[in-house]
Structure formats: C-alpha cells, structure tokens
Amino acid sequence: EDGGGGGESKFPFNDLLVWTDAEVSTFAAQITLHNFSTYSKITPKEIMHYVKAKSASEKKILCPNITKVVQQFNDFSNWGTTMICKQCLSQERVSVMSTLISLLQELFSLNNLHSSLSLLSTFSSAAVARLKTSFEQIEPSKRAFLEDVKERLSHLSSYKAYRDHIHGLNPPLVPYIGVYLTDLTFVNDGNPDLLQGLINFSKCYKVARVIVEIQQYHTPYVSLTTDRLIQWALTNACFENETESENYRLSKLVEGTDPEKAIRDLIMAEKALKQKIRKMELQASLCSCGDDASGGSSNLDTSAVFSDFDLEGITSKF
C-alpha cells in the first residue's frame, strides 16, 4: 500500500529528541522496507561480478545494488553517530542514545539484521564508544539489550553467533551483506579457478552456496505498509551526516577529559570566527568603495586595493 502522496515528508529524521514510540516504530518499518527493496534486487550475476571485479570502481559499476546496500549501511551508522555527538547537553545526548536503542529493538524484532548491525557499529564507533558518562545514564535494561544483541550478532569466529542466529529465523528478513561478501572474498582468493588446467568445481560450488543463501532471503515484508514520502526521503539522502573526524571532534567537546580545555577551544574558535567575519565585512566595504569610485564599473582591480591594507592587522584591532 501507499501511505503518501506528493510533496515532502514531514518525518523528523534528524530530530530524535521529538521521537515517540510511534516515530520509532514507523521509522524501523520504513528503513526495513528500504533496505529490503535494495537487497532483493541483488542478482546472481551481480554477485559473480563482485567476485571477479578487480577494483572498487569496477564493483560500483558492475554491482550497483551491492554497492547501494553497503552505502546504506555506512550512511545509517554514521547518521546514528552524528545524532548522538551533536547533542551538547548530557540529558539530550542520553535521550538520543536511548531512542536509538529503542530503534535497534524494533529493527531486531523485524529481523532487519542489516540495520541492526549498522546501529551496533554506531555504538562501537570511536566517537560514541568513548562517551562513558552518557552510557552510564542509559536505563540498565536498554544497556543490557544492547550487549545482548552485540553477542547474538558478533563478528567473532567468522560470525559464528550471527550465522547461528540468522539460520534460526524465518523470512522475511534483511541479512547483513558483509558476511557474504567476506565469504566470497575468501573463496575467491583462497581457491584457484583452475586445477591442473581443469575448472575448479569445488570453488564453483562454494560460490554457488553463498549465492543460494543470499537469494533465499528475498521473501517480501507483506505485513508492512510503505510510506511513499518517507521512502522518497530515504532514497534522497535525508540523513544528516558528519565526517568521522568531525564526529570525534564533537564527541571530545561534549564529553571531554578536560572541560576547561574544551571551553578554551570553543572561545578561541569563536574569536577566530568573529575575526574572519570582520575581515570579510571589511573586504566587502572596500569593494563597495571601489565600485563607487569607478562609477559602478567592475574594472577596478580589487586585489590591488587590498594589497594596500594590512587586513590581518586591521581586523585584529576589533
């Protein structure tokens, strides 16, 4: 079914402070449908291209759906990190972290292992994992759930716990594609195509076994209703994302080991920004004066005008 018409979605994607249980449930359902839509388009031919592709650029061209699935994973994880690290107040930061764990609970219940692991990587990221004080303020039951899911979907021992978990589930579900891509890489790199000049059917069988497992999880989520506006937003980069380095910088600011240094850095940054603004205002003023002097002509060499002024010296006096 279609839950939307024209226009833009009003869903508060990047304001988790206003999310209620309804928003959490809605978003979990829509991101699951979004993930499944891309995953279900992966074909055996595309998987074979992934095995044989020699470079990332080649994989991007020959394996568009696999590339999209991987990108969705990374974007979603980074979005979660950004949502946490941008909260200046401890109470709001804890609230967002709790909301993301609630979202993880919904995703896990929908068998969306793709986005579940993506959110787990949010909490394992360097920027978030260091927020010890914030973690301590999360409800014990939610912290316990987070640890439980980490164990069930653990990557240790070649994803043994994850494999045991997914093999006990009934579709529909959205697997974590990274497990299969890792398997394919090992099969391809560890087995020659030919043995004594003959086709290595053992390698072919191992690749086929991975392909069959990927294909068996194409059962659709018939119980979930599609919201077209939210799906459009998810497809068109609705997530607010900062770079990994910026998130880490923000993390150190909001929960630093040296609060006085953090405050000093903010004051210095504000001072530098004000100085830059003053400099730009002065440059604009000089441009305006130059235009007036030339009767509005644009022939004035403003670089020559600026060279006569020590802009750094002038602005430093403000």
Side-chain angles (χ1 to χ4, degrees), residues 140-202:
S141 60
K142 289 195 172 184
R143 292 205 307 268
F145 174 79
L146 186 62
E147 293 304 315
D148 179 55
V149 175
K150 283 182 181 179
E151 290 183 10
R152 294 195 193 192
L153 305 183
S154 173
H155 67 280
L156 298 177
S157 301
S158 188
Y159 287 95
K160 182 182 184 306
Y162 169 89
R163 295 178 198 272
D164 290 343
H165 179 74
I166 194 172
H167 291 155
L169 298 177
N170 293 319
L173 59 86
V174 186
Y176 170 53
I177 193 69
V179 173
Y180 305 122
L181 299 184
T182 300
D183 289 345
L184 288 170
T185 299
F186 277 125
V187 170
N188 187 56
D189 294 348
N191 298 272
D193 292 336
L194 301 175
L195 288 176
Q196 298 179 347
L198 301 176
I199 294 175
N200 185 352
F201 282 103
S202 175

Side-chain angles (χ1 to χ4, degrees), residues 188-239:
N188 187 56
D189 294 348
N191 298 272
D193 292 336
L194 301 175
L195 288 176
Q196 298 179 347
L198 301 176
I199 294 175
N200 185 352
F201 282 103
S202 175
K203 177 178 181 177
C204 295
Y205 172 75
K206 291 175 181 177
V207 171
R209 191 167 58 183
V210 176
I211 293 175
V212 168
E213 180 151 1
I214 292 175
Q215 294 290 109
Q216 74 174 336
Y217 299 126
H218 282 189
T219 304
Y221 282 86
V222 294
S223 63
L224 299 181
T225 301
T226 300
D227 185 310
R228 193 171 65 182
L229 292 181
I230 293 181
Q231 291 300 318
W232 181 91
L234 290 171
T235 303
N236 290 276
C238 64
F239 294 136

Side-chain angles (χ1 to χ4, degrees), residues 39-271:
Y39 178 85
S40 63
K41 294 174 184 174
I42 297 175
T43 63
K45 183 178 180 180
E46 188 173 338
I47 298 168
M48 291 303 300
H49 280 315
Y50 183 88
V51 173
K52 296 299 181 182
K54 301 298 183 182
S55 65
S57 58
E58 190 176 355
K59 288 178 180 178
K60 188 174 183 179
I61 296 172
L62 298 176
C63 318
N65 294 305
I66 292 178
T67 300
K68 287 179 183 177
V69 168
V70 173
Q71 190 63 50
Q72 286 174 8
F73 182 96
N74 294 335
D75 287 347
F76 190 52
S77 175
N78 192 44
W79 167 78
T81 303
T82 301
M83 291 300 98
I84 293 171
C85 293
K86 77 172 188 176
Q87 307 302 328
C88 298
L89 301 180
S90 175
Q91 183 179 358
E92 294 181 349
R93 193 160 53 254
V94 172
S95 175
V96 168
M97 294 170 80
S98 296
T99 298
L100 287 174
I101 294 176
S102 295
L103 177 59
L104 175 60
Q105 290 175 314
E106 288 286 334
L107 292 168
F108 194 69
S109 69
L110 289 170
N111 294 337
N112 185 346
L113 306 185
H114 168 89
S115 283
S116 292
L117 273 164
S118 183
L119 271 188
L120 284 180
S121 69
T122 287
F123 286 99
S124 300
S125 67
V128 175
R130 63 174 301 281
L131 300 174
K132 306 297 184 184
T133 303
S134 298
F135 269 107
E136 291 172 357
Q137 298 177 58
I138 298 173
E139 294 177 22
S141 60
K142 289 195 172 184
R143 292 205 307 268
F145 174 79
L146 186 62
E147 293 304 315
D148 179 55
V149 175
K150 283 182 181 179
E151 290 183 10
R152 294 195 193 192
L153 305 183
S154 173
H155 67 280
L156 298 177
S157 301
S158 188
Y159 287 95
K160 182 182 184 306
Y162 169 89
R163 295 178 198 272
D164 290 343
H165 179 74
I166 194 172
H167 291 155
L169 298 177
N170 293 319
L173 59 86
V174 186
Y176 170 53
I177 193 69
V179 173
Y180 305 122
L181 299 184
T182 300
D183 289 345
L184 288 170
T185 299
F186 277 125
V187 170
N188 187 56
D189 294 348
N191 298 272
D193 292 336
L194 301 175
L195 288 176
Q196 298 179 347
L198 301 176
I199 294 175
N200 185 352
F201 282 103
S202 175
K203 177 178 181 177
C204 295
Y205 172 75
K206 291 175 181 177
V207 171
R209 191 167 58 183
V210 176
I211 293 175
V212 168
E213 180 151 1
I214 292 175
Q215 294 290 109
Q216 74 174 336
Y217 299 126
H218 282 189
T219 304
Y221 282 86
V222 294
S223 63
L224 299 181
T225 301
T226 300
D227 185 310
R228 193 171 65 182
L229 292 181
I230 293 181
Q231 291 300 318
W232 181 91
L234 290 171
T235 303
N236 290 276
C238 64
F239 294 136
E240 177 185 337
N241 277 334
E242 294 290 353
T243 62
E244 183 178 349
S245 59
E246 177 63 10
N247 278 329
Y248 193 76
R249 186 187 73 83
L250 291 173
S251 174
K252 292 180 70 176
L253 283 176
V254 299
E255 196 173 303
T257 55
D258 186 351
E260 290 186 354
K261 181 180 182 302
I263 294 173
R264 183 172 66 251
D265 289 345
L266 285 173
I267 292 174
M268 294 300 294
E270 181 185 20
K271 184 177 179 180

